[in-house]
Amino acid sequence: MRDSRAEALAQILVRYSTRVGKGDVCVVQSTAAGEPLVQAVYEEVLRVGGLPIMQLTTDGAQAAFFDIASDDQLDWIPPTSEWVAENADARIAIMADVNARELSGTDPKKQARVSRARQGLMETSMRRAAAGDYRWALTLFPTHAYASEAGMSLREYEDFYYAACLVADGEPVTAWERQADEVKRLADWIEGKEEVRVKGPGTDITLGVAGRHWIPCYGEHNMPDGEFFTGPVEDAVNGEIAFSFPASYGGRTVSGVRLRFDGGKVVDASADQGEDFLIEMLDTDEGARRLGEIGIGTNYGISTGTKEILLDEKIGGTVHLAIGMSYPESGGTNASAVHWDMVCDLRQGGELVVDGAELQRDGKFVV
């Protein structure tokens, strides 16, 4: 029997996040482990008159690809992926890992090569999304792998995750819209400002944001959600930042990441774990050493790190920076095959100062 919470989440994803309507082509992507939620989403797309395309892979396909694929195969772009980026009206991606460490032994050079090969797909998707021609949403289906990484039992993690997605609301489809007032207020307050300074243990960094647009997030792309973000001015980031939580990218995890910026560019980088992978990703292309995003978390319902960036970057009292590609709708212009978010916890001794005015102290907004 399918969990009723998966049914409610499917309604949110289809009817609210991606607003699938009659005749809309909606691609549903996941692995076999996500089947219960995939099936619920598929049925919901049919109910609203959409045209669903299901793209499911086996649990071990990604690891096998990096282990076996030749250079030509690493560079190859499946025609189906090109079609989705260029033509689909909506895409719902459901992460459903069964082994969080599956790619821990993968050659980072291969992962960087694949990222470079697929940069055009990311640029096309971001451009169409910014123009309003393409709606996308990313979520996950609770598995033992995510629960283990978060230090919870599967039942505890399911309760935690579905609560963060607001599925228990009496009217789940409109729940996120009704929660949007605070994040909209904060985004309005910071709009038009010129500089953000982030201070905390091991962190003192300034980011120029003049002329950039701040975007409030309340469930349209990420589920769960809760942040406001923009793309920093590409050559106006200076200082050092120490990231508090482990940061995963492409199935690999690094921890204890420290970055130093000068003139917008990462000029020094280190990590307690996974430093070689971190450097390889920073060297993917010219844009990978510059920032594509600064985001400020507003979801105080997520209170602890889970080692999954989809949740951790939303934690109220944190700030996250993404190296690499900017979202065009923010006004950012950085181009890269990489977009990697990393989280800095400001809840104990941290501060956000905007144009000399305090926005946040010890993780609490004071404006």
Side-chain angles (χ1 to χ4, degrees):
M1 183 175 178
R2 195 159 62 207
D3 192 328
S4 62
R5 295 173 296 185
E7 304 273 1
L9 180 53
Q11 292 177 23
I12 294 171
L13 293 168
V14 173
R15 297 175 182 266
Y16 172 72
S17 299
T18 56
R19 305 181 305 283
V20 178
K22 185 176 181 180
D24 285 342
V25 174
C26 179
V27 178
V28 186
Q29 298 173 328
S30 189
T31 60
E35 182 179 341
L37 181 55
V38 171
Q39 182 68 22
V41 169
Y42 177 78
E43 293 174 6
E44 200 63 31
V45 171
L46 290 174
R47 289 190 185 98
V48 300
L51 305 173
I53 297 175
M54 296 175 69
Q55 294 184 336
L56 293 181
T57 61
T58 57
D59 296 328
Q62 191 175 25
F65 175 71
F66 284 111
D67 184 43
I68 300 171
S70 66
D71 287 348
D72 287 343
Q73 290 169 319
L74 293 171
D75 292 338
W76 182 65
I77 305 299
T80 50
S81 298
E82 291 182 330
W83 188 93
V84 169
E86 295 170 0
N87 297 282
D89 298 299
R91 178 176 67 94
I92 297 173
I94 302 166
M95 301 185 297
D97 291 342
V98 296
N99 180 1
R101 312 290 180 177
E102 186 176 36
L103 299 182
S104 59
T106 300
D107 183 352
K109 294 185 183 298
K110 288 186 175 182
Q111 291 176 288
R113 183 168 188 145
V114 169
S115 293
R116 286 192 294 269
R118 302 191 177 198
Q119 179 176 349
L121 296 180
M122 183 164 61
E123 290 175 342
T124 298
S125 298
M126 285 186 167
R127 184 183 68 251
R128 291 187 64 222
D133 299 327
Y134 177 66
R135 287 102 62 198
W136 62 269
L138 173 67
T139 192
L140 64 77
F141 177 71
T143 66
H144 284 288
Y146 297 124
S148 178
E149 289 293 286
M152 304 179 191
S153 70
L154 180 58
R155 177 175 293 183
E156 289 172 333
Y157 188 79
E158 287 173 336
D159 292 344
F160 160 76
Y161 186 74
Y162 285 125
C165 293
L166 306 183
V167 301
D169 188 275
E171 297 180 6
V173 174
T174 60
W176 282 95
E177 181 64 42
R178 286 181 275 111
Q179 294 279 332
D181 288 349
E182 176 68 355
V183 68
K184 288 180 178 179
R185 179 186 75 83
L186 292 166
D188 287 344
W189 181 89
I190 203 170
E191 185 77 9
K193 304 296 195 295
E194 297 187 353
E195 183 183 86
V196 176
R197 185 177 183 182
V198 184
K199 299 172 66 178
T203 296
D204 191 351
I205 187 171
T206 58
L207 304 94
V209 294
R212 297 301 163 89
H213 175 49
W214 288 84
I215 299 169
C217 301
Y218 40 95
E220 292 183 302
H221 295 305
N222 287 178
M223 185 58 57
D225 213 344
E227 66 169 288
F228 54 106
F229 76 92
T230 194
V233 177
E234 287 69 24
D235 61 355
V237 180
N238 294 281
E240 300 183 44
I241 185 166
F243 294 101
S244 313
F245 300 146
S248 295
Y249 188 77
R252 298 285 294 270
T253 299
V254 300
S255 61
V257 175
R258 295 170 293 277
L259 301 178
R260 182 164 62 87
F261 290 83
D262 185 16
K265 186 174 182 179
V266 175
V267 294
D268 187 53
S270 63
D272 295 336
Q273 173 193 348
E275 185 172 306
D276 290 346
F277 178 70
L278 172 66
I279 300 302
E280 192 68 43
M281 292 301 102
L282 288 169
D283 289 340
T284 299
D285 50 42
E286 176 64 25
R289 283 185 174 264
R290 297 185 184 275
L291 290 182
E293 177 188 352
I294 173 175
I296 301 171
T298 62
N299 191 332
Y300 289 90
I302 305 173
S303 60
T304 185
T306 66
K307 298 183 182 178
E308 173 50 58
I309 192 64
L310 177 65
L311 285 87
D312 293 354
E313 69 174 6
K314 312 304 191 309
I315 295 173
T318 68
V319 63
H320 57 275
L321 306 182
I323 56 171
M325 178 72 79
S326 300
Y327 289 100
E329 58 266 42
S330 72
T333 60
N334 196 43
S336 175
V338 175
H339 183 91
W340 186 358
D341 294 286
M342 303 180 193
V343 180
C344 179
D345 194 345
L346 301 177
R347 290 175 293 180
Q348 295 184 3
E351 187 180 20
L352 284 175
V353 179
V354 180
D355 286 359
E358 197 171 48
L359 167 64
Q360 188 184 89
R361 184 191 316 117
D362 292 329
K364 301 296 184 182
F365 293 102
V366 296
V367 297

